[in-house]
Structure formats: C-alpha cells, structure tokens
Amino acid sequence: MGIRRCGKSVVMEQVRDEISLQGKKIIYLNFELRSVSSKISNDIELISFIENEIQSFPNEKWYVFLDEVQSVKDWNIACRSLRLKNISIFITGSNSKLLSKEFTKELSGRYVSFTIRPFVYKEILEWSKEIGRDVSVNDYLIYGGFPKRFEFAEKEAMIRYLNDLDETIVINDIINRYKIRKEEVFKKLVNFVLISNARIFSSNSIFNYLKGQKIDCSINTVMKFLDYLEEAYVIRKIPQYSTKEKKQLEFYAKLYDEDVSFNSIRQMSGRFDLTHNLENVVY
C-alpha cells in the first residue's frame, strides 16, 4: 500500500519476476490500464476471468497479481473467494481503506501488508548511481523522493511532472473518489495544509483559517477532507502528546506531507521551506 507513483507497482513486478523465474503459474492485472479496467470492473467479472485462466492448469498453484485493485468494485469479496482455491494473491492499492475491517477479520493471520513510500535520501543515492546522476541533500529537501522525477534531465520538466502528479493524486483522484462537491473549498484546504507541513494543527485552527479567507464550510467538512487526504496517503498525522497528563491530546496533531515536493511546488519565487521540510524528512 502507499501513495500513487511511489513505486508499489515496481516492487510488485520484482516479486512477480522472481516467482516467474521459478516457473510458477502467474496472472498479472494492472487496473490502471484501460484494456484491463474496461473488461473487469467488479468482483464477479474478476472471479470469472481468473477462474477461466486457471482452467488451463487446474491442478497447479497460481499466483495472482492485482495492481491498483481498489478500482474494482467489491474486489475484497473476489479475493476472499479466490483464496479458497489454490491461489496466492498479491495486491497493491493507493488507499488506506484497502484492507477493510471485514476483509482483515476474515483473513486474520493469512496476509502481510507493506507500506511503500517515496525514496528517502539513502535510496536516492543508490538510485542516482544507477542512472548516473548526482543528487544533493538540498535537492531532496526541496523536490522530495518520487522515483520517476530523477529521470528528468531538465529541472523545468521535473517540476512539470511533480505538478502533474500533484494534480492527479491530490486533486483529481480524491475529488472523483469521494465525489466532493465543494471543490474550491477542498483545494484551498489542501494548499494550506500541504504548504504548512510539520506544524501543529487542529481542525478548528484550519476552520478558522478558511473562515478568515471568507470560505464557508463547517468543522465537520474540514475533518472529513483531512481524513480523505490521510486515506490517500497524501498526509500523515501524529497526535500531540501531553507529558503532564501522560496521554495524547486528540484535538491537536502535527501534519506531515507524504513527500516534501507537495510543499515546494506551492512556494512562490523559489523561497523554499527547508526548515519544515527537514523535519518532514526526519519524520
């Protein structure tokens, strides 16, 4: 699991290739491809497709790889059904609700989950050697660790890529997934939160900021929008801890961007927030 474009599919492909070299039977479906998603949109179609495929070798163990599976309606029902057969299933998804409570309860002890994130600096150094690039610490503190950005030779092209990524992940995906009607309110909140990473927030403080900008919304809406960002792995949240009372203060939290580029592409005139980005990458 993890945010889009952080490398989940690459990790899955590495696992697939390793199993394939052992001569195992494999089915691989990437639901970001129109050729796949147009034919398989729900659990019934998914089960039917896989059952048809495994008929060629019904007595063999099969390994099924489902990339970005959350786009399939009732995918979890399909997985539960397929697990009753001689099948091992690997899934990726960019929503933290991927493993619903019902799903995890029924598969208790039978699954392992991994969270994939954009590169940290150590990984960037390893990758930069492979592609013949030098990447400074400052470059990482400004433009973050999304793997594909290092493939762009020109800075302007890289920044365009990061802006397109931001538009796709942060805006389009979430607005479409949750059918958000107050789009402008959501975009204002997103910009405020992502440019203010590594700071202490409460839903009330964000509500007051929006109110000061003459933006009409409720605290419930603010809380709901923050949940959407967290579910899509765009932000991470740490509750504030009170040493005096030895408990967590539920109303206050520090919010961190999943990648510091979400902050930097929103900065004007090249004045980057290295102080808070540094805390963000330490987190």
Side-chain angles (χ1 to χ4, degrees):
M1 301 181 292
I3 194 169
R4 281 186 185 273
R5 303 295 174 261
C6 70
K8 298 187 303 298
S9 297
V10 174
V11 173
M12 175 180 269
E13 286 166 10
Q14 290 172 341
V15 174
R16 179 197 65 186
D17 293 345
E18 186 177 325
I19 292 175
S20 181
L21 286 172
Q22 299 170 12
K24 308 291 186 182
K25 302 300 179 187
I26 286 173
I27 297 171
Y28 179 85
L29 296 170
N30 182 351
F31 292 99
E32 287 196 318
L33 297 177
R34 180 61 62 190
S35 57
V36 176
S37 61
S38 62
K39 294 176 182 176
I40 303 173
S41 60
N42 58 51
D43 58 316
I44 296 171
E45 292 171 349
L46 179 56
I47 292 170
S48 175
F49 177 86
I50 292 174
E51 285 182 340
N52 185 59
E53 290 289 308
I54 66 177
Q55 286 307 310
S56 53
F57 294 92
N59 298 321
E60 296 273 355
K61 176 159 185 160
W62 285 79
Y63 294 81
V64 174
F65 294 82
L66 307 174
D67 203 355
E68 294 295 347
V69 73
Q70 76 273 349
S71 60
V72 177
K73 186 177 184 295
D74 293 327
W75 64 269
N76 51 328
I77 296 174
C79 285
R80 287 202 298 269
S81 298
L82 293 170
R83 279 290 288 126
L84 298 175
K85 304 177 185 296
N86 194 18
I87 295 174
S88 280
I89 303 173
F90 297 77
I91 61 177
T92 74
S94 49
N95 187 327
S96 66
K97 284 191 170 179
L98 186 73
L99 296 180
S100 65
K101 289 180 181 177
E102 295 77 15
F103 182 62
T104 54
K105 183 179 178 182
E106 292 190 29
L107 287 184
S108 179
R110 297 176 187 166
Y111 75 92
V112 179
S113 65
F114 299 91
T115 298
I116 310 294
R117 286 178 141 160
F119 287 156
V120 295
Y121 191 57
K122 182 181 179 181
E123 294 165 326
I124 289 171
L125 290 179
E126 293 175 13
W127 177 232
S128 62
K129 282 181 184 177
E130 289 190 33
I131 60 177
R133 294 274 306 277
D134 289 321
V135 182
S136 67
V137 173
N138 264 12
D139 178 88
Y140 171 50
L141 289 176
I142 295 171
Y143 298 114
F146 278 111
K148 191 171 179 63
R149 82 161 180 90
F150 300 102
E151 298 176 15
F152 294 92
E154 296 182 0
K155 183 178 175 181
E156 290 76 15
M158 177 196 69
I159 293 172
R160 265 200 310 275
Y161 167 75
L162 289 174
N163 275 284
D164 289 344
L165 199 63
D166 180 89
E167 186 71 20
T168 300
I169 297 172
V170 181
I171 307 301
N172 295 344
D173 274 4
I174 297 177
I175 287 175
N176 292 333
R177 182 184 296 162
Y178 298 106
K179 297 179 174 58
I180 295 173
R181 287 175 296 185
K182 296 182 176 181
E183 288 189 26
E184 289 308 310
V185 175
F186 177 71
K187 290 177 181 178
K188 288 278 187 184
L189 179 144
V190 167
N191 287 332
F192 175 63
V193 168
L194 293 183
I195 209 169
S196 307
N197 55 328
R199 293 165 174 85
I200 295 175
F201 281 108
S202 69
S203 298
N204 199 52
S205 65
I206 297 173
F207 167 76
N208 287 333
Y209 164 78
L210 294 173
K211 188 177 178 182
Q213 298 291 310
K214 311 297 183 190
I215 298 170
D216 183 32
C217 74
S218 67
I219 289 182
N220 284 339
T221 298
V222 169
M223 294 172 68
K224 189 164 59 175
F225 287 169
L226 289 174
D227 284 344
Y228 293 164
L229 289 171
E230 199 170 7
E231 285 165 11
Y233 297 105
V234 175
I235 61 172
R236 301 279 178 162
K237 188 162 57 178
I238 297 182
Q240 187 178 16
Y241 182 75
S242 169
T243 54
K244 189 174 181 180
E245 299 178 17
K246 294 185 179 179
K247 67 176 184 178
Q248 290 182 340
L249 302 178
E250 296 177 358
F251 298 106
Y252 291 93
K254 271 205 171 186
L255 300 181
Y256 293 94
D257 297 349
E258 184 70 352
D259 189 80
V260 294
S261 62
F262 290 146
N263 175 315
S264 299
I265 61 173
R266 289 173 166 79
Q267 299 289 354
M268 301 285 287
S269 308
R271 298 180 59 132
F272 299 110
D273 190 358
L274 295 184
T275 305
H276 290 98
N277 282 0
L278 177 58
E279 182 179 335
N280 204 125
V281 300
V282 169
Y283 162 75

